[in-house]
Structure formats: C-alpha cells, structure tokens
mmCIF file of all heavy atoms in Angstrom:
data_model
loop_
_atom_site.group_PDB
_atom_site.id
_atom_site.type_symbol
_atom_site.label_atom_id
_atom_site.label_comp_id
_atom_site.label_asym_id
_atom_site.label_seq_id
_atom_site.Cartn_x
_atom_site.Cartn_y
_atom_site.Cartn_z
ATOM 1 N N THR A 1 26.699 47.443 -32.877
ATOM 2 C CA THR A 1 26.220 46.123 -33.319
ATOM 3 C C THR A 1 25.852 45.237 -32.130
ATOM 4 O O THR A 1 24.790 44.599 -32.164
ATOM 5 C CB THR A 1 27.317 45.432 -34.169
ATOM 6 O OG1 THR A 1 27.646 46.272 -35.257
ATOM 7 C CG2 THR A 1 26.854 44.076 -34.679
ATOM 8 N N GLU A 2 26.681 45.297 -31.109
ATOM 9 C CA GLU A 2 26.349 44.481 -29.906
ATOM 10 C C GLU A 2 25.062 45.002 -29.254
ATOM 11 O O GLU A 2 24.227 44.210 -28.830
ATOM 12 C CB GLU A 2 27.509 44.582 -28.903
ATOM 13 C CG GLU A 2 28.730 43.837 -29.328
ATOM 14 C CD GLU A 2 29.929 44.053 -28.390
ATOM 15 O OE1 GLU A 2 29.927 45.042 -27.585
ATOM 16 O OE2 GLU A 2 30.860 43.243 -28.444
ATOM 17 N N GLN A 3 24.874 46.314 -29.211
ATOM 18 C CA GLN A 3 23.688 46.908 -28.579
ATOM 19 C C GLN A 3 22.462 46.518 -29.366
ATOM 20 O O GLN A 3 21.414 46.185 -28.828
ATOM 21 C CB GLN A 3 23.788 48.416 -28.447
ATOM 22 C CG GLN A 3 22.692 49.005 -27.609
ATOM 23 C CD GLN A 3 22.599 48.464 -26.227
ATOM 24 O OE1 GLN A 3 23.626 48.440 -25.479
ATOM 25 N NE2 GLN A 3 21.488 47.993 -25.789
ATOM 26 N N ALA A 4 22.547 46.568 -30.709
ATOM 27 C CA ALA A 4 21.439 46.168 -31.540
ATOM 28 C C ALA A 4 21.079 44.685 -31.340
ATOM 29 O O ALA A 4 19.901 44.342 -31.249
ATOM 30 C CB ALA A 4 21.771 46.436 -33.002
ATOM 31 N N LEU A 5 22.074 43.839 -31.200
ATOM 32 C CA LEU A 5 21.865 42.454 -30.924
ATOM 33 C C LEU A 5 21.230 42.248 -29.557
ATOM 34 O O LEU A 5 20.242 41.451 -29.436
ATOM 35 C CB LEU A 5 23.193 41.654 -30.965
ATOM 36 C CG LEU A 5 23.135 40.186 -30.680
ATOM 37 C CD1 LEU A 5 22.194 39.431 -31.650
ATOM 38 C CD2 LEU A 5 24.512 39.562 -30.728
ATOM 39 N N ILE A 6 21.672 42.948 -28.584
ATOM 40 C CA ILE A 6 21.081 42.869 -27.245
ATOM 41 C C ILE A 6 19.623 43.284 -27.307
ATOM 42 O O ILE A 6 18.744 42.622 -26.729
ATOM 43 C CB ILE A 6 21.855 43.729 -26.221
ATOM 44 C CG1 ILE A 6 23.240 43.086 -25.966
ATOM 45 C CG2 ILE A 6 21.081 43.942 -24.942
ATOM 46 C CD1 ILE A 6 24.199 44.001 -25.237
ATOM 47 N N ASN A 7 19.330 44.396 -27.987
ATOM 48 C CA ASN A 7 17.954 44.839 -28.132
ATOM 49 C C ASN A 7 17.059 43.824 -28.847
ATOM 50 O O ASN A 7 15.919 43.562 -28.426
ATOM 51 C CB ASN A 7 17.902 46.204 -28.836
ATOM 52 C CG ASN A 7 18.528 47.331 -28.089
ATOM 53 O OD1 ASN A 7 18.761 47.209 -26.878
ATOM 54 N ND2 ASN A 7 18.855 48.359 -28.731
ATOM 55 N N THR A 8 17.593 43.232 -29.894
ATOM 56 C CA THR A 8 16.834 42.222 -30.643
ATOM 57 C C THR A 8 16.585 40.996 -29.734
ATOM 58 O O THR A 8 15.454 40.468 -29.713
ATOM 59 C CB THR A 8 17.592 41.781 -31.911
ATOM 60 O OG1 THR A 8 17.770 42.966 -32.738
ATOM 61 C CG2 THR A 8 16.857 40.725 -32.664
ATOM 62 N N LEU A 9 17.597 40.545 -29.040
ATOM 63 C CA LEU A 9 17.421 39.381 -28.180
ATOM 64 C C LEU A 9 16.458 39.652 -27.059
ATOM 65 O O LEU A 9 15.648 38.788 -26.664
ATOM 66 C CB LEU A 9 18.774 38.912 -27.604
ATOM 67 C CG LEU A 9 19.753 38.327 -28.611
ATOM 68 C CD1 LEU A 9 21.101 38.053 -27.983
ATOM 69 C CD2 LEU A 9 19.201 37.010 -29.198
ATOM 70 N N ALA A 10 16.489 40.835 -26.477
ATOM 71 C CA ALA A 10 15.584 41.229 -25.387
ATOM 72 C C ALA A 10 14.132 41.219 -25.926
ATOM 73 O O ALA A 10 13.233 40.732 -25.242
ATOM 74 C CB ALA A 10 15.924 42.571 -24.856
ATOM 75 N N ALA A 11 13.935 41.737 -27.145
ATOM 76 C CA ALA A 11 12.573 41.748 -27.712
ATOM 77 C C ALA A 11 12.092 40.343 -28.016
ATOM 78 O O ALA A 11 10.955 39.990 -27.749
ATOM 79 C CB ALA A 11 12.566 42.627 -29.000
ATOM 80 N N ASP A 12 13.010 39.510 -28.567
ATOM 81 C CA ASP A 12 12.683 38.133 -28.817
ATOM 82 C C ASP A 12 12.321 37.376 -27.543
ATOM 83 O O ASP A 12 11.370 36.576 -27.476
ATOM 84 C CB ASP A 12 13.789 37.384 -29.556
ATOM 85 C CG ASP A 12 13.982 37.843 -31.003
ATOM 86 O OD1 ASP A 12 13.036 38.534 -31.532
ATOM 87 O OD2 ASP A 12 15.011 37.531 -31.610
ATOM 88 N N ASN A 13 13.078 37.649 -26.466
ATOM 89 C CA ASN A 13 12.836 37.018 -25.211
ATOM 90 C C ASN A 13 11.514 37.385 -24.636
ATOM 91 O O ASN A 13 10.744 36.592 -24.136
ATOM 92 C CB ASN A 13 13.979 37.308 -24.233
ATOM 93 C CG ASN A 13 13.838 36.519 -22.970
ATOM 94 O OD1 ASN A 13 13.633 35.328 -22.971
ATOM 95 N ND2 ASN A 13 13.949 37.181 -21.848
ATOM 96 N N ALA A 14 11.164 38.681 -24.748
ATOM 97 C CA ALA A 14 9.865 39.152 -24.242
ATOM 98 C C ALA A 14 8.740 38.456 -25.036
ATOM 99 O O ALA A 14 7.712 38.052 -24.410
ATOM 100 C CB ALA A 14 9.734 40.691 -24.389
ATOM 101 N N GLU A 15 8.938 38.285 -26.321
ATOM 102 C CA GLU A 15 7.908 37.593 -27.147
ATOM 103 C C GLU A 15 7.798 36.135 -26.698
ATOM 104 O O GLU A 15 6.704 35.593 -26.587
ATOM 105 C CB GLU A 15 8.270 37.700 -28.607
ATOM 106 C CG GLU A 15 7.220 37.144 -29.507
ATOM 107 C CD GLU A 15 7.547 37.332 -31.006
ATOM 108 O OE1 GLU A 15 8.388 38.188 -31.331
ATOM 109 O OE2 GLU A 15 6.964 36.624 -31.836
ATOM 110 N N LEU A 16 8.920 35.492 -26.438
ATOM 111 C CA LEU A 16 8.882 34.101 -26.010
ATOM 112 C C LEU A 16 8.170 33.977 -24.654
ATOM 113 O O LEU A 16 7.436 33.041 -24.461
ATOM 114 C CB LEU A 16 10.326 33.564 -25.903
ATOM 115 C CG LEU A 16 11.040 33.238 -27.199
ATOM 116 C CD1 LEU A 16 12.478 32.875 -26.948
ATOM 117 C CD2 LEU A 16 10.347 32.102 -27.916
ATOM 118 N N GLN A 17 8.449 34.888 -23.784
ATOM 119 C CA GLN A 17 7.770 34.839 -22.443
ATOM 120 C C GLN A 17 6.285 35.035 -22.594
ATOM 121 O O GLN A 17 5.529 34.366 -21.915
ATOM 122 C CB GLN A 17 8.396 35.919 -21.536
ATOM 123 C CG GLN A 17 9.820 35.573 -21.069
ATOM 124 C CD GLN A 17 10.426 36.697 -20.209
ATOM 125 O OE1 GLN A 17 9.874 37.800 -20.110
ATOM 126 N NE2 GLN A 17 11.545 36.393 -19.602
ATOM 127 N N ALA A 18 5.860 35.917 -23.474
ATOM 128 C CA ALA A 18 4.437 36.138 -23.699
ATOM 129 C C ALA A 18 3.799 34.910 -24.308
ATOM 130 O O ALA A 18 2.702 34.485 -23.875
ATOM 131 C CB ALA A 18 4.211 37.323 -24.629
ATOM 132 N N LEU A 19 4.469 34.255 -25.290
ATOM 133 C CA LEU A 19 3.916 33.030 -25.869
ATOM 134 C C LEU A 19 3.899 31.929 -24.820
ATOM 135 O O LEU A 19 2.950 31.096 -24.789
ATOM 136 C CB LEU A 19 4.793 32.602 -27.031
ATOM 137 C CG LEU A 19 4.655 33.458 -28.293
ATOM 138 C CD1 LEU A 19 5.721 33.112 -29.320
ATOM 139 C CD2 LEU A 19 3.266 33.367 -28.883
ATOM 140 N N ASN A 20 4.901 31.841 -23.989
ATOM 141 C CA ASN A 20 4.908 30.822 -22.934
ATOM 142 C C ASN A 20 3.749 31.000 -21.980
ATOM 143 O O ASN A 20 3.041 30.025 -21.613
ATOM 144 C CB ASN A 20 6.229 30.877 -22.167
ATOM 145 C CG ASN A 20 6.353 29.766 -21.134
ATOM 146 O OD1 ASN A 20 6.170 28.621 -21.417
ATOM 147 N ND2 ASN A 20 6.614 30.154 -19.888
ATOM 148 N N GLN A 21 3.462 32.258 -21.598
ATOM 149 C CA GLN A 21 2.314 32.510 -20.717
ATOM 150 C C GLN A 21 1.018 32.181 -21.394
ATOM 151 O O GLN A 21 0.120 31.609 -20.797
ATOM 152 C CB GLN A 21 2.330 34.001 -20.290
ATOM 153 C CG GLN A 21 1.275 34.340 -19.264
ATOM 154 C CD GLN A 21 1.470 33.521 -17.990
ATOM 155 O OE1 GLN A 21 2.575 33.455 -17.408
ATOM 156 N NE2 GLN A 21 0.428 32.857 -17.511
ATOM 157 N N LYS A 22 0.927 32.483 -22.692
ATOM 158 C CA LYS A 22 -0.296 32.156 -23.448
ATOM 159 C C LYS A 22 -0.510 30.621 -23.456
ATOM 160 O O LYS A 22 -1.663 30.158 -23.241
ATOM 161 C CB LYS A 22 -0.181 32.686 -24.848
ATOM 162 C CG LYS A 22 -1.415 32.540 -25.678
ATOM 163 C CD LYS A 22 -1.239 33.159 -27.068
ATOM 164 C CE LYS A 22 -2.520 33.039 -27.865
ATOM 165 N NZ LYS A 22 -2.367 33.691 -29.221
ATOM 166 N N ILE A 23 0.545 29.889 -23.664
ATOM 167 C CA ILE A 23 0.452 28.442 -23.681
ATOM 168 C C ILE A 23 0.048 27.895 -22.288
ATOM 169 O O ILE A 23 -0.777 27.019 -22.203
ATOM 170 C CB ILE A 23 1.761 27.783 -24.160
ATOM 171 C CG1 ILE A 23 1.907 28.082 -25.699
ATOM 172 C CG2 ILE A 23 1.805 26.296 -23.909
ATOM 173 C CD1 ILE A 23 3.319 27.740 -26.220
ATOM 174 N N LYS A 24 0.668 28.481 -21.268
ATOM 175 C CA LYS A 24 0.296 28.074 -19.887
ATOM 176 C C LYS A 24 -1.184 28.340 -19.616
ATOM 177 O O LYS A 24 -1.849 27.480 -19.031
ATOM 178 C CB LYS A 24 1.195 28.785 -18.859
ATOM 179 C CG LYS A 24 2.583 28.281 -18.760
ATOM 180 C CD LYS A 24 3.460 29.152 -17.880
ATOM 181 C CE LYS A 24 3.240 28.778 -16.429
ATOM 182 N NZ LYS A 24 4.152 29.498 -15.517
ATOM 183 N N ASP A 25 -1.643 29.504 -20.048
ATOM 184 C CA ASP A 25 -3.112 29.879 -19.864
ATOM 185 C C ASP A 25 -3.969 28.889 -20.595
ATOM 186 O O ASP A 25 -5.010 28.435 -20.073
ATOM 187 C CB ASP A 25 -3.350 31.301 -20.306
ATOM 188 C CG ASP A 25 -2.656 32.326 -19.432
ATOM 189 O OD1 ASP A 25 -2.222 31.984 -18.298
ATOM 190 O OD2 ASP A 25 -2.572 33.488 -19.888
ATOM 191 N N LEU A 26 -3.597 28.557 -21.839
ATOM 192 C CA LEU A 26 -4.378 27.598 -22.617
ATOM 193 C C LEU A 26 -4.382 26.211 -21.941
ATOM 194 O O LEU A 26 -5.403 25.512 -21.927
ATOM 195 C CB LEU A 26 -3.871 27.517 -24.041
ATOM 196 C CG LEU A 26 -4.099 28.732 -24.930
ATOM 197 C CD1 LEU A 26 -3.341 28.615 -26.266
ATOM 198 C CD2 LEU A 26 -5.606 28.904 -25.165
ATOM 199 N N CYS A 27 -3.222 25.789 -21.382
ATOM 200 C CA CYS A 27 -3.140 24.525 -20.700
ATOM 201 C C CYS A 27 -4.007 24.483 -19.492
ATOM 202 O O CYS A 27 -4.676 23.495 -19.194
ATOM 203 C CB CYS A 27 -1.711 24.224 -20.314
ATOM 204 S SG CYS A 27 -0.687 23.720 -21.759
ATOM 205 N N ASN A 28 -4.050 25.602 -18.720
ATOM 206 C CA ASN A 28 -4.907 25.714 -17.551
ATOM 207 C C ASN A 28 -6.352 25.627 -17.949
ATOM 208 O O ASN A 28 -7.119 24.881 -17.282
ATOM 209 C CB ASN A 28 -4.639 27.002 -16.774
ATOM 210 C CG ASN A 28 -3.311 26.987 -16.058
ATOM 211 O OD1 ASN A 28 -2.760 25.940 -15.747
ATOM 212 N ND2 ASN A 28 -2.792 28.184 -15.788
ATOM 213 N N ASP A 29 -6.724 26.283 -19.045
ATOM 214 C CA ASP A 29 -8.096 26.197 -19.528
ATOM 215 C C ASP A 29 -8.436 24.733 -19.925
ATOM 216 O O ASP A 29 -9.503 24.241 -19.633
ATOM 217 C CB ASP A 29 -8.324 27.107 -20.744
ATOM 218 C CG ASP A 29 -8.321 28.573 -20.354
ATOM 219 O OD1 ASP A 29 -8.410 28.900 -19.139
ATOM 220 O OD2 ASP A 29 -8.205 29.441 -21.266
ATOM 221 N N LEU A 30 -7.481 24.049 -20.598
ATOM 222 C CA LEU A 30 -7.662 22.735 -21.028
ATOM 223 C C LEU A 30 -7.786 21.795 -19.797
ATOM 224 O O LEU A 30 -8.650 20.897 -19.782
ATOM 225 C CB LEU A 30 -6.514 22.263 -21.925
ATOM 226 C CG LEU A 30 -6.664 20.918 -22.571
ATOM 227 C CD1 LEU A 30 -7.927 20.803 -23.445
ATOM 228 C CD2 LEU A 30 -5.410 20.597 -23.461
ATOM 229 N N ASP A 31 -6.977 22.020 -18.766
ATOM 230 C CA ASP A 31 -7.043 21.193 -17.551
ATOM 231 C C ASP A 31 -8.415 21.364 -16.914
ATOM 232 O O ASP A 31 -9.047 20.400 -16.421
ATOM 233 C CB ASP A 31 -5.953 21.603 -16.576
ATOM 234 C CG ASP A 31 -4.587 21.116 -16.964
ATOM 235 O OD1 ASP A 31 -4.494 20.260 -17.864
ATOM 236 O OD2 ASP A 31 -3.595 21.657 -16.417
ATOM 237 N N GLN A 32 -8.910 22.623 -16.852
ATOM 238 C CA GLN A 32 -10.239 22.835 -16.276
ATOM 239 C C GLN A 32 -11.322 22.163 -17.086
ATOM 240 O O GLN A 32 -12.243 21.549 -16.517
ATOM 241 C CB GLN A 32 -10.533 24.348 -16.193
ATOM 242 C CG GLN A 32 -9.641 25.076 -15.168
ATOM 243 C CD GLN A 32 -9.782 26.559 -15.205
ATOM 244 O OE1 GLN A 32 -10.507 27.111 -16.027
ATOM 245 N NE2 GLN A 32 -9.091 27.257 -14.307
ATOM 246 N N THR A 33 -11.209 22.223 -18.393
ATOM 247 C CA THR A 33 -12.170 21.572 -19.273
ATOM 248 C C THR A 33 -12.159 20.079 -19.057
ATOM 249 O O THR A 33 -13.190 19.423 -18.994
ATOM 250 C CB THR A 33 -11.927 21.930 -20.734
ATOM 251 O OG1 THR A 33 -11.961 23.362 -20.875
ATOM 252 C CG2 THR A 33 -12.916 21.252 -21.655
ATOM 253 N N THR A 34 -10.937 19.518 -19.004
ATOM 254 C CA THR A 34 -10.800 18.087 -18.790
ATOM 255 C C THR A 34 -11.386 17.653 -17.437
ATOM 256 O O THR A 34 -12.071 16.623 -17.367
ATOM 257 C CB THR A 34 -9.288 17.671 -18.843
ATOM 258 O OG1 THR A 34 -8.758 18.078 -20.086
ATOM 259 C CG2 THR A 34 -9.062 16.226 -18.630
ATOM 260 N N ALA A 35 -11.161 18.436 -16.403
ATOM 261 C CA ALA A 35 -11.715 18.088 -15.096
ATOM 262 C C ALA A 35 -13.228 18.173 -15.132
ATOM 263 O O ALA A 35 -13.930 17.292 -14.545
ATOM 264 C CB ALA A 35 -11.190 19.086 -14.042
ATOM 265 N N THR A 36 -13.809 19.126 -15.845
ATOM 266 C CA THR A 36 -15.276 19.218 -15.972
ATOM 267 C C THR A 36 -15.809 18.026 -16.716
ATOM 268 O O THR A 36 -16.821 17.451 -16.294
ATOM 269 C CB THR A 36 -15.648 20.530 -16.695
ATOM 270 O OG1 THR A 36 -15.127 21.682 -15.959
ATOM 271 C CG2 THR A 36 -17.153 20.687 -16.853
ATOM 272 N N ILE A 37 -15.174 17.654 -17.806
ATOM 273 C CA ILE A 37 -15.634 16.487 -18.593
ATOM 274 C C ILE A 37 -15.562 15.221 -17.747
ATOM 275 O O ILE A 37 -16.460 14.388 -17.772
ATOM 276 C CB ILE A 37 -14.819 16.328 -19.886
ATOM 277 C CG1 ILE A 37 -15.126 17.500 -20.857
ATOM 278 C CG2 ILE A 37 -15.050 14.966 -20.524
ATOM 279 C CD1 ILE A 37 -14.180 17.608 -22.039
ATOM 280 N N LYS A 38 -14.498 15.129 -16.929
ATOM 281 C CA LYS A 38 -14.366 13.955 -16.050
ATOM 282 C C LYS A 38 -15.486 13.916 -15.062
ATOM 283 O O LYS A 38 -16.079 12.833 -14.782
ATOM 284 C CB LYS A 38 -13.008 13.971 -15.376
ATOM 285 C CG LYS A 38 -12.778 12.744 -14.485
ATOM 286 C CD LYS A 38 -11.454 12.776 -13.803
ATOM 287 C CE LYS A 38 -11.288 11.573 -12.902
ATOM 288 N NZ LYS A 38 -10.065 11.609 -12.098
#
C-alpha cells in the first residue's frame, strides 16, 4: 500500500512539474508578446 502511494505521488508530482513548466513557457511567451506590443 505504501509503495502504491509512493508511485501515485511520484506520478502526480511529475505531472505537476510538467504543468508548471508549461505555465512557465506560456508566461515567457506572454512576456515576449507584451514586450513586442510595448
């Protein structure tokens, strides 16, 4: 049960990290767009 929980948490953490990177990439794109508009 503990191992299954660890595996689930590790998978969830990997997904969170991927989403965080996606948001960072989108923010960088938005910053570049904002700078261009300025």
